[in-house]
Structure formats: structure tokens, C-alpha cells
């Protein structure tokens, strides 16, 4: 990953803008990567039109997973749930601005997995597909 | 240990490893501290495999032509070398497998399935690699066996008092344990553990994946019933390993994989097994790799395993000393005299992925994660560690570079 992206990630990791818990919330979902201990929870508030009015993430893990969560949550405020359902892993990588190997790709995509789990109203994190 | 490798010899050894010449990023040379995952290969091992494919490649055991005879001889000579290396009296007590994992699975699927009954106990430890846990979990589920575990102390040593109690209490049929932990570096007192197991009528399986590459290991001295190890962790190629087992055990065990070469005779509906160890070597094996394995053994023998052990002792003592200077850095495992050259650590709440990534920017290769020992990490309540491991081609200067780089990580993520 290049220097600028790395700086952005460390910046958002150390000083996240959207870390927190929303109580009450309309949607919440959490998942983890047990292999490395990355854990992400995302809370959303949604208006009658299905638009996200507030969003926050909480959890712990490596800089890539946490920064990805912060950037992802920032990007979905004002989006409808349908628009969020269209998000792909390439959108996440564009936000982060970098190329990742397979191990760290999993870290970067964990927040998207959590977001989709919540937005699709799934019971089980295993059901989330990012295809 | 009285012998030790002089600094000069380390440089001579380093010169044998071509990969150490490479730059990981422009202008950044490789500092390879991940030998516990896989060791680098000396050119002697690389070249013998090339030469084999260029000049002597043929299938083994069945051919009459010159190349077949040469290939068979090379394959079986390597087997004999491997046997001598671990002090086995008879080359027929060495079964070639794919790796340590396959060796342990072989024992689980043949010896354990044939000999254990519902309610029988297998005694393992809390510090085992998944390869010495999962095969037993599989067989235990299949046959209604019970698994019990020798606890690990806070210091990272096996609780030997608890071990003796568990032996008495559970009377296991098999004790399977790691000779050297790939996370803590702990070297377990194998001879004593095996003797105690035998005293209550249990067999003993030793996971030698880390010990055989780094310490002198003698199966006669240890009285091990089974010893599993891999070529790739001892400067040999991937794709080949070995299971040592006492001859009587191998004779009595049913075959593992079925197919060509492990048979004496085949009819449409039946077969007769071949002699030991061929009985357990079905199909065309990794022949060039076996030859490479033999040369890896030659290479380590030429240095001498006592010398290897002594050198690594001095490196880990130095590494632990330097790492202890770094504030917020905690190394897991016992003090230097109880361990091999492995240092798994946490560092001020900085995630191991981030540590490993930053170290890589300086060309330093370490490993981040649970290192195939999730239960051990659970025991210490940490999801992951960063692991630096050292082998015959690492130097004190590299330890210094590691520490320097860790200070940089602290600044970045502090």
C-alpha cells in the first residue's frame, strides 16, 4: 500500500471520526475475524425513506479493519439501504485507496460484511456474501 | 554446550542461502525471522533437486533401467541419512510423508483407529499446534475417545506435576506432545515425559516439527515410539516429511493410503500389503524432495546439531535481553534456558498485523496471528501475537534491526 493511503489509515485508526455506539439504533450487526482478533460492530439510524441518518462503528483490531470501518461508515451517511446493498469490495478498496494481499483484504472487508449483515437483516454472519 | 559457532561461520552459512541476497523492497535487504514457519534453503539442497530432475529423474522401486536404479538408490539413501540423523537404528523405521501434519494423521488414522476403544484417553497438552490436536479430535469423535490436556503454566512451561497426576488419573493409551513449542519456544523434557508415559503403559508420540531442525534429537535416547517432523523446517524442501515409528509398531499398524507401491500383490478384490515402511508410502512420492531432504540432513550434520543448538541459545538469549529493553513489549514463554530461538510477543496493544506490516517495510519478515495454536492463545487471553524466530543464518545485527524497527512502530502507532 502506498504512503498516502497508509497515512490515512493510521490517521483514521488513531483518530476515528465515527467510533461509537448508537442507542437507540434501527440496525445493528457485529462480526469478527477470529484468526486475528478483529471485531467490528456497526449501528445505523434510518429514516422512513430508508435513508441512513446516523452511523457508528465500535470494536477492536488492526489498523486496516478499524480504519476501513471508519471510512465505510462515513461514506454511507445519507445513502439508502438499497444503495448500501449495492456496495462491493471494490468500493471499500477505493475508499482505502490501496491494494492488499489476501490476508489484509479480509481485515479491510470485515466492516462491509458487518454492514451488509445488518442491512440485509441477517441472523448469522456466515450468511453474508460479498460477491 | 561447549561448542559454538564463531561469527565467521555464520557469514559462511549465510553465503550458502541465495534468498538472503534479495531485496524485499528497493534498497531494503531481507531479514528473515520466520524460520519457524519455514526455513530457507541452502544452494546445496536447491541444486541437488535441479540436478536430479536434469540427470537422474525416474520413478522408483519398480524400474530396471539405469535412471530408475539411480533414483531408487538416491531416495533410499536419503531415508538412511534421515534415520541416522535422528538416531534410528533401522531405515525401515522412517516412513516418508508429506509433512509433520500428515505423519501425525497417519498415526491417528492407523494406529489409533486400530488400537483404541470407546472411553480410552489420549493425553495432549495446551501448547499443541493444531496438527497435534485436530487429528486426535477427529479420531476421538469417531471412536468415542476422551482427550485430556496437560496444562501450561503462566511462565509457558508444561505443568509436570499436573502431567503425572493426569497420567495416574486417566491412564491414557497415548501421550502426544510437542518437543518444542512453535509459539513459546518451550523445549519440553521429552525423555522424562516419555518415561513416565511408558511407566503407565502408554505410547508416546513426539511432535518434532520444531525440535528436529533446532536440537540434537535421538529417538533411542528419548525412547520415543513415534516422532513426526518436516523437511521444510530444517532447510529441506516443502512437500516431504517423515514419521519415525518403532518397527514392531509399523508392522502391526494397518495401511494408511491405498494404491501402488504399498502392496505386494493385488487381485481384483483383495491385496497384500508391502513390507514396512513401503506399506505406508502409496503412489509416486516426492522423489526429488526426498533427495533434497537427505542433503538438508547432510548440511545440518556438517554444522553439527550441538553447534546449531548452542548458536541459537546465544541468539535467543541476546534477543530476549534486547526485547526486554523495549517498553510495553511482552514476550510469551519461559526464560532463555528453557526455550529455543522463538519470541512471540505482544506490543503495547498494537495489533500484530500492523507490527508485521511495519516490520516488513524494513525488510523484516515475522509472523502475525495465532500460529496454528489458538487454544494456547486463548489460554493467555490474547487473540494474536507477533512472532520472530531465528535459525542458523540469523545474526545479532538482525536482532538489533528488529528492535530498532519496533521502536519505529511504537512512534507510528503510539
Amino acid at each position: 500500500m502506498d504512503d498516502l493511503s497508509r497515512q490515512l489509515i493510521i490517521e483514521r485508526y488513531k483518530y476515528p471520526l465515527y467510533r461509537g455506539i448508537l442507542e437507540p439504533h434501527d440496525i445493528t450487526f457485529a462480526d469478527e475475524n477470529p484468526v486475528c482478533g478483529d471485531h467490528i460492530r456497526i449501528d445505523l439510524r434510518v429514516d422512513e425513506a430508508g435513508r441512513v441518518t446516523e452511523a457508528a462503528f465500535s470494536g477492536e483490531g488492526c489498523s486496516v479493519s478499524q480504519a476501513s470501518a471508519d471510512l465505510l461508515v462515513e461514506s454511507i451517511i445519507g445513502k439508502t439501504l438499497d444503495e448500501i446493498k449495492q456496495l462491493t469490495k471494490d468500493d471499500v478498496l477505493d475508499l482505502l485507496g490501496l491494494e492488499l494481499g489476501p490476508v489484509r483484504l479480509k481485515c479491510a472487508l470485515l466492516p462491509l460484511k458487518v454492514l451488509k449483515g445488518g442491512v440485509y437483516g441477517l441472523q448469522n454472519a456466515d450468511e453474508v456474501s460479498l460477491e | 554446550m561447549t561448542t559454538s559457532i564463531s561469527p565467521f561461520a555464520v557469514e559462511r552459512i549465510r553465503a550458502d542461502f541465495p534468498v538472503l541476497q534479495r531485496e524485499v523492497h528497493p534498497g531494503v535487504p531481507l531479514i528473515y525471522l520466520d524460520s519457524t514457519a519455514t526455513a530457507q534453503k541452502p544452494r546445496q539442497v536447491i541444486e541437488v533437486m535441479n540436478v536430479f530432475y536434469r540427470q537422474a529423474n525416474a520413478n522408483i522401486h519398480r524400474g530396471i533401467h539405469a535412471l530408475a536404479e539411480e533414483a531408487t538408490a538416491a531416495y533410499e539413501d536419503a531415508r538412511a541419512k534421515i534415520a541416522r540423523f535422528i538416531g534410528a537404528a533401522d531405515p525401515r523405521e522412517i516412513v516418508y510423508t508429506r509433512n509433520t501434519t500428515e505423519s501425525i494423521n497417519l498415526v491417528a488414522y492407523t494406529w489409533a483407529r486400530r488400537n483404541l476403544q470407546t472411553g480410552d484417553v489420549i493425553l495432549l497438552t495446551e501448547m499443541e499446534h493444531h496438527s497435534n490436536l485436530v487429528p486426535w479430535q477427529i479420531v476421538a469423535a469417531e471412536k468415542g475417545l476422551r482427550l485430556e490436556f496437560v496444562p501450561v503454566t503462566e511462565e509457558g512451561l508444561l505443568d509436570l506435576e499436573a502431567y503425572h497426576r493426569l497420567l495416574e488419573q486417566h491412564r491414557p493409551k497415548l501421550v502426544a506432545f510437542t518437543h518444542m513449542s512453535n509459539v513459546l519456544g518451550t523445549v519440553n523434557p521429552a525423555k522424562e515425559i516419555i518415561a513416565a508415559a511408558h511407566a503407565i503403559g502408554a505410547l508416546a508420540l513426539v511432535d518434532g516439527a520444531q525440535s528436529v531442525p533446532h536440537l540434537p534429537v535421538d529417538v533411542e535416547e528419548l525412547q520415543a515410539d513415534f516422532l513426526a517432523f518436516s523437511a521444510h523446517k530444517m532447510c529441506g524442501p516443502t512437500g516431504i516429511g517423515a514419521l519415525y515409528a518403532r518397527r514392531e509398531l509399523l508392522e502391526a499398524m494397518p495401511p494408511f493410503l491405498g494404491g501402488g507401491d504399498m502392496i505386494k500383490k493385488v487381485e481384483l478384490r483383495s491385496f497384500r500389503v508391502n513390507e514396512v515402511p513401503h506399506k505406508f508410502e502409496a503412489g509416486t512420492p516426492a522423489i526429488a524432495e526426498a533427495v533434497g531432504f537427505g542433503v538438508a540432513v547432510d548440511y545440518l550434520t556438517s554444522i553439527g546439531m550441538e553447534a546449531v543448538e548452542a548458536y541459537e541459545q546465544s541468539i535467543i538469549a541476546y534477543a530476549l535481553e534486547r526485547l526486554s529493553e523495549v517498553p510495553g513489549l511482552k514476550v510469551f514463554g519461559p526464560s532463555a534456558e528453557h526455550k529455543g530461538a522463538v519470541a512471540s510477543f505482544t506490543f503495547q496493544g498494537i495489533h500484530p498485523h500492523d507490527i508485521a506490516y511495519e516490520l516488513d517495510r524494513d525488510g523484516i519478515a515475522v509472523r502475525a496471528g495465532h500460529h496454528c495454536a489458538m487454544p494456547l492463545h486463548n489460554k493467555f487471553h490474547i487473540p494474536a501475537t507477533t512472532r520472530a524466530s531465528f535459525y542458523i543464518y540469523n545474526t545479532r545485527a538482525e536482532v538489533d534491526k528488529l528492535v530498532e524497527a519496533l521502536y519505529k512502530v511504537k512512534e507510528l502507532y503510539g
Side-chain angles (χ1 to χ4, degrees):
Chain A
M1 69 176 99
D2 80 351
D3 275 328
L4 225 53
S5 308
R6 197 159 136 255
Q7 274 178 43
L8 172 66
I9 288 170
I10 295 179
E11 179 77 17
R12 289 302 194 107
Y13 177 60
K14 284 164 82 165
Y15 311 110
L17 300 176
Y18 291 89
R19 183 178 274 280
I21 299 218
L22 294 180
E23 292 291 357
H25 47 254
D26 297 307
I27 292 177
T28 184
F29 200 80
D31 192 16
E32 61 173 8
N33 185 350
V35 167
C36 60
D38 291 339
H39 179 97
I40 302 274
R41 167 182 154 164
I42 292 181
D43 301 329
L44 304 177
R45 282 203 194 114
V46 183
D47 67 17
E48 295 87 38
R51 207 166 280 276
V52 173
T53 54
E54 268 182 270
F57 82 96
S58 50
E60 67 273 328
C62 73
S63 61
V64 168
S65 71
Q66 305 299 299
S68 172
D70 196 48
L71 291 163
L72 181 64
V73 156
E74 177 179 59
S75 76
I76 60 167
I77 295 181
K79 283 198 160 68
T80 65
L81 296 183
D82 280 328
E83 284 170 329
I84 292 173
K85 285 178 183 176
Q86 306 304 317
L87 289 174
T88 65
K89 60 187 184 204
D90 287 325
D91 294 316
V92 171
L93 294 181
D94 284 341
L95 281 176
L96 292 169
L98 42 71
E99 290 192 20
L100 289 167
V103 176
R104 296 215 92 178
L105 192 61
K106 273 186 110 165
C107 308
L109 296 178
L110 180 61
L112 181 63
K113 209 173 157 221
V114 170
L115 182 61
K116 290 222 169 176
V119 159
Y120 277 102
L122 296 178
Q123 294 301 108
N124 193 342
D126 291 335
E127 298 169 53
V128 182
S129 159
L130 292 183
E131 294 316 301
Chain B
M1 298 297 137
T2 50
T3 45
S4 62
I5 291 200
S6 69
F8 176 75
V10 171
E11 289 308 316
R12 183 177 55 70
I13 287 168
R14 286 178 67 85
D16 285 332
F17 289 79
V19 79
L20 297 178
Q21 300 314 311
R22 75 158 277 187
E23 289 184 345
V24 182
H25 308 293
V28 182
L30 173 67
I31 295 175
Y32 188 74
L33 304 183
D34 199 19
S35 293
T36 295
T38 198
Q40 296 301 344
K41 323 301 174 195
R43 58 179 172 70
Q44 291 89 331
V45 168
I46 299 167
E47 277 157 21
V48 80
M49 290 169 63
N50 278 332
V51 167
F52 178 82
Y53 278 126
R54 283 206 202 103
Q55 295 182 7
N57 180 55
N59 209 329
I60 54 169
H61 291 151
R62 276 178 244 81
I64 310 275
H65 58 79
L67 259 55
E69 296 276 27
E70 278 176 37
T72 301
Y75 183 80
E76 294 301 335
D77 283 346
R79 190 196 303 272
K81 282 181 189 171
I82 293 161
R84 276 195 302 272
F85 187 69
I86 56 156
D90 188 345
R92 287 172 295 184
E93 293 182 315
I94 300 292
V95 176
Y96 279 121
T97 59
R98 218 161 39 116
N99 48 31
T100 305
T101 303
E102 188 171 277
S103 299
I104 297 175
N105 274 275
L106 197 163
V107 178
Y109 280 97
T110 64
W111 180 85
R113 260 208 198 132
R114 166 68 56 94
N115 291 287
L116 301 185
Q117 265 77 247
T118 309
D120 281 346
V121 175
I122 298 176
L123 184 56
L124 306 163
T125 82
E126 288 180 336
M127 62 164 75
E128 296 310 307
H129 185 285
H130 296 166
S131 294
N132 200 23
L133 281 178
V134 179
W136 308 115
Q137 293 171 355
I138 291 175
V139 170
E142 196 185 292
K143 299 210 60 160
L145 310 175
R146 254 179 42 233
L147 303 181
E148 297 291 338
F149 299 87
V150 182
V152 175
T153 66
E154 272 308 300
E155 230 197 307
L157 297 167
L158 277 186
D159 183 343
L160 293 173
E161 258 182 57
Y163 172 54
H164 291 286
R165 259 184 287 116
L166 289 165
L167 281 180
E168 272 311 309
Q169 184 186 352
H170 296 293
R171 305 250 130 197
K173 294 291 189 292
L174 177 74
V175 173
F177 68 99
T178 179
H179 196 175
M180 177 170 140
S181 164
N182 68 309
V183 174
L184 305 170
T186 307
V187 178
N188 291 314
K191 189 167 174 180
E192 288 83 331
I193 292 172
I194 293 169
H198 286 165
I200 59 122
L203 291 188
L205 179 143
V206 182
D207 174 355
Q210 298 300 332
S211 62
V212 175
H214 298 281
L215 317 167
V217 174
D218 186 318
V219 290
E220 286 302 313
E221 217 231 308
L222 295 181
Q223 288 286 290
D225 300 296
F226 303 102
L227 171 71
F229 54 107
S230 301
H232 75 95
K233 294 199 205 270
M234 49 191 282
C235 300
T238 48
I240 192 139
L243 171 71
Y244 158 82
R246 282 192 293 108
R247 178 108 178 270
E248 322 81 85
L249 290 170
L250 292 177
E251 301 283 5
M253 280 150 64
F256 183 36
L257 299 173
D261 225 18
M262 48 72 68
I263 45 86
K264 259 214 165 87
K265 188 168 169 168
V266 180
E267 319 236 342
L268 281 178
R269 291 185 180 76
S270 65
F271 69 98
R272 261 191 23 228
V273 287
N274 204 346
E275 279 146 20
V276 148
H278 308 294
K279 174 171 140 188
F280 297 104
E281 295 176 3
T284 300
I287 305 168
E289 281 75 5
V291 176
F293 195 175
V295 170
V297 163
D298 288 337
Y299 190 79
L300 290 177
T301 304
S302 73
I303 299 171
M305 290 312 291
E306 276 82 9
V308 170
E309 184 183 19
Y311 183 68
E312 290 190 20
Q313 268 297 290
S314 77
I315 284 271
I316 191 63
Y318 183 66
L320 291 180
E321 192 192 301
R322 293 248 39 219
L323 289 171
S324 70
E325 295 161 15
V326 183
L329 191 142
K330 175 178 173 170
V331 179
F332 289 83
S335 48
E337 63 270 22
H338 294 293
K339 67 190 279 176
V342 179
S344 299
F345 58 89
T346 54
F347 187 23
Q348 280 209 313
I350 304 172
H351 198 282
H353 278 179
D354 292 322
I355 298 172
Y357 176 80
E358 297 303 331
L359 292 182
D360 173 69
R361 307 279 294 181
D362 286 337
I364 301 172
V366 294
R367 187 149 288 253
H370 53 66
H371 319 298
C372 296
M374 278 171 115
L376 182 61
H377 280 77
N378 282 340
K379 164 114 191 178
F380 287 101
H381 305 293
I382 33 168
T385 48
T386 309
R387 181 185 72 188
S389 54
F390 307 92
Y391 205 10
I392 52 178
Y393 35 70
N394 294 120
T395 64
R396 288 179 172 220
E398 290 180 317
V399 173
D400 293 335
K401 289 247 154 60
L402 169 66
V403 171
E404 221 178 280
L406 286 170
Y407 277 116
K408 275 162 71 175
V409 174
K410 183 165 179 267
E411 248 185 71
L412 211 52
Y413 284 87

